[in-house]
Amino acid sequence: MERTSMAFLINWLHSPRRLPLVIRGARQVGKTWLVRHLAQSQGLRLIEVNFEDTKELFSTFKSNDPVKVLQNLEDALHIEKIDPAKSLLFLDEIQAFPELYAKLRWFAEKMPQLSVIAAGSLLEFMFKKQQQPLSMPVGRVEFMYLEPFSFEEFLLAQKKQLLVRVLNRFTWEEEIPSFTHNELSSLFKEYLIVGGMPAAVSAWATTRSLLEVSKVQNNIMASFQGDFHKYAGRLDPSLIEETMQQVPLELGKKFIYSKVTSESQSPAIKKALDLLCKARICHRVFSTNANGVPLGSEKDEKFFKVIFLDVGLCSTSLKLSLQNIKDIEEISLINKGGIAEQVAGQLLRTINPAFLETEMYYWQRYNAEAEVDYVIQYHSRV
């Protein structure tokens, strides 16, 4: 399946100023697949190390000399000599050993000819812990932010290249023919149910089975819950789960901690939401006065809404049963307003360049029924 992020990766790979790249994104948004596809498409030998699956390989990186590190990897993996100029070193789940992140600078300084990519689904927790005890390789790494499939990528996965062309050349001065509009509307309803998680999109594109999509979505939600114990600390993992389940219920509304549960104090629920946002499962949308740019200069952190990682997973969390539904057109969603706000926010997160982290805003008039669901900077204007 095509991903627009591949163009960013190819440009990074061939840049004369290339630095080690750190890919940040939630679990199962396609980080590992993307790196493997990059290596294959560009004819590079992939040296992949997953530090959750093979913790023992951490010892091969104890040296600060990249030459020694590659020698250690050759011995440990029983592979022939690694040619840095023709290889891609992929350090997956690097958050398992935060010390490795600081060592990326040595690859930038001593072996720039080697392409190095690091990734992990819980990197944000590593960054928070690393601020004090470990040195950050500031100016020695680049970042890329990966989101679920956009609607255009969803269309490409279903071989709808012509419709993507229609969208790309659209202007407000012209009218899309009704036949094309109806086809796009039908496909967008599919996107609302299937969502943009790569495994769900693949299941839908290959099987056209809502049952298979449902299996994938429920497995993804289970994998999120399985991670809770990794970053909960002293917080009860069940509170993180309750907070996650509340987000789809509150789409389009100001998020109020007390609605999660009456049995826990607001500071604990706030911490649970913080953890979910660090895992990139949820995203806050902050209130701003929106008098000008930058929007963040008038942000009010006390007033915010929350959206979920993916619109398809929202319906899964809300227990939408797909097992006995034969056609997506049969589905009539109750919370259409909330779902619309979810999918709009989710897609707005895909329009920035991949090297920019997206922060989201909305506008509301205090003490009055007036609101703009999303405000963004467009060129120099709000």
Side-chain angles (χ1 to χ4, degrees):
M1 298 187 293
E2 294 182 50
R3 299 225 60 179
T4 54
S5 303
M6 186 56 62
F8 174 88
L9 283 173
I10 292 173
N11 288 336
W12 164 80
L13 184 67
H14 297 292
S15 170
R17 299 179 299 278
R18 184 187 66 210
L19 296 170
L21 182 69
V22 179
I23 302 179
R24 299 163 74 171
R27 179 176 289 282
Q28 299 202 39
V29 293
K31 299 183 295 296
T32 301
W33 180 90
L34 205 56
V35 176
R36 290 172 179 170
H37 187 62
L38 174 69
Q40 182 182 28
S41 67
Q42 300 301 302
L44 294 173
R45 182 185 185 188
L46 181 64
I47 311 299
E48 181 176 341
V49 181
N50 185 307
F51 290 104
E52 282 198 346
D53 294 342
T54 52
K55 290 183 170 60
E56 63 276 8
L57 288 179
F58 168 65
S59 61
T60 63
F61 288 82
K62 286 190 175 179
S63 173
N64 290 334
D65 181 1
V67 173
K68 181 61 176 174
V69 170
L70 293 190
Q71 289 174 348
N72 291 340
L73 283 173
E74 290 167 357
D75 295 339
L77 299 175
H78 305 290
I79 58 178
E80 60 187 37
K81 187 170 180 61
I82 299 171
D83 182 350
K86 297 179 180 179
S87 302
L88 171 58
L89 178 61
F90 179 33
L91 309 178
D92 204 3
E93 303 298 352
I94 193 175
Q95 77 280 345
F97 295 101
E99 305 94 315
L100 293 178
Y101 180 68
K103 289 178 178 287
L104 293 177
R105 63 171 297 183
W106 302 118
F107 287 98
E109 294 176 0
K110 298 182 178 182
M111 193 178 282
Q113 69 272 32
L114 176 66
S115 309
V116 181
I117 296 180
S121 53
L122 301 177
L123 275 173
E124 314 305 316
F125 298 94
M126 181 189 78
F127 292 142
K128 182 181 179 183
K129 294 176 182 177
Q130 200 182 28
Q131 288 173 359
Q132 295 300 325
L134 294 173
S135 61
M136 300 282 279
V138 179
R140 298 294 185 271
V141 296
E142 301 177 55
F143 292 100
M144 171 182 160
Y145 298 89
L146 189 62
E147 300 289 334
F149 274 45
S150 67
F151 180 56
E152 286 83 355
E153 290 175 313
F154 179 78
L155 293 176
L156 291 172
Q158 300 187 74
K159 311 301 181 188
K160 303 289 185 180
Q161 285 84 354
L162 291 177
L163 288 176
V164 173
R165 259 182 255 166
V166 169
L167 292 176
N168 287 337
R169 69 169 183 256
F170 170 79
T171 65
W172 295 109
E173 287 73 34
E174 64 179 281
E175 184 176 336
I176 293 180
S178 58
F179 176 82
T180 305
H181 172 77
N182 292 337
E183 186 179 6
L184 282 167
S185 295
S186 178
L187 287 162
F188 194 75
K189 188 167 185 180
E190 290 182 14
Y191 184 76
L192 292 179
I193 302 302
V194 176
M197 298 303 283
V201 175
S202 178
W204 179 245
T206 55
T207 69
R208 307 300 291 180
S209 167
L210 288 172
L211 177 60
E212 292 303 314
V213 170
S214 182
K215 286 179 183 177
V216 169
Q217 291 171 334
N218 279 279
N219 286 339
I220 292 172
M221 293 296 288
S223 73
F224 289 164
Q225 294 165 8
D227 276 342
F228 289 165
H229 72 279
K230 296 179 182 178
Y231 50 84
R234 296 181 180 178
L235 201 64
D236 183 358
S238 64
L239 180 60
I240 304 176
E241 183 175 353
E242 286 180 287
T243 305
M244 181 179 75
Q245 291 172 344
Q246 189 66 25
V247 170
L249 293 169
E250 299 300 316
L251 292 174
K253 307 172 190 174
K254 177 190 172 187
F255 195 85
I256 300 173
Y257 296 129
S258 59
K259 287 190 176 181
V260 175
T261 174
S262 59
E263 298 177 2
S264 297
Q265 297 295 315
S266 291
I269 301 171
K270 178 182 182 299
K271 184 177 180 182
L273 182 60
D274 287 342
L275 294 175
L276 289 167
C277 290
K278 283 189 175 65
R280 310 184 85 83
I281 295 172
C282 301
H283 304 290
R284 287 185 175 92
V285 183
F286 290 102
S287 171
T288 177
N289 290 335
N291 290 313
V293 295
L295 291 165
S297 64
E298 295 184 306
K299 176 174 68 174
D300 188 342
E301 296 196 357
K302 294 180 181 178
F303 291 87
F304 60 88
K305 299 183 287 187
V306 183
I307 61 172
F308 211 59
L309 167 68
D310 176 67
V311 64
L313 297 182
C314 277
S315 296
T316 301
S317 178
L318 293 170
K319 309 303 180 187
L320 175 65
S321 177
L322 300 178
Q323 283 83 332
N324 298 316
I325 298 174
K326 295 180 180 179
D327 192 325
I328 280 181
E329 293 300 327
E330 296 178 18
I331 301 172
S332 179
L333 297 170
I334 295 174
N335 58 334
K336 289 180 180 178
I339 289 294
E341 196 158 329
Q342 162 68 36
V343 76
Q346 178 177 334
L347 294 178
L348 283 172
R349 293 187 62 82
T350 68
I351 65 175
N352 283 332
F355 62 85
L356 287 178
E357 183 163 22
T358 300
E359 189 162 80
M360 310 195 71
Y361 303 99
Y362 75 103
W363 174 89
Q364 64 175 5
R365 178 176 291 148
Y366 297 106
N367 302 319
E369 292 294 324
E371 181 179 303
V372 177
D373 296 331
Y374 292 103
V375 291
I376 64 171
Q377 178 179 336
Y378 180 70
H379 299 310
S380 61
R381 299 184 291 113
V382 177

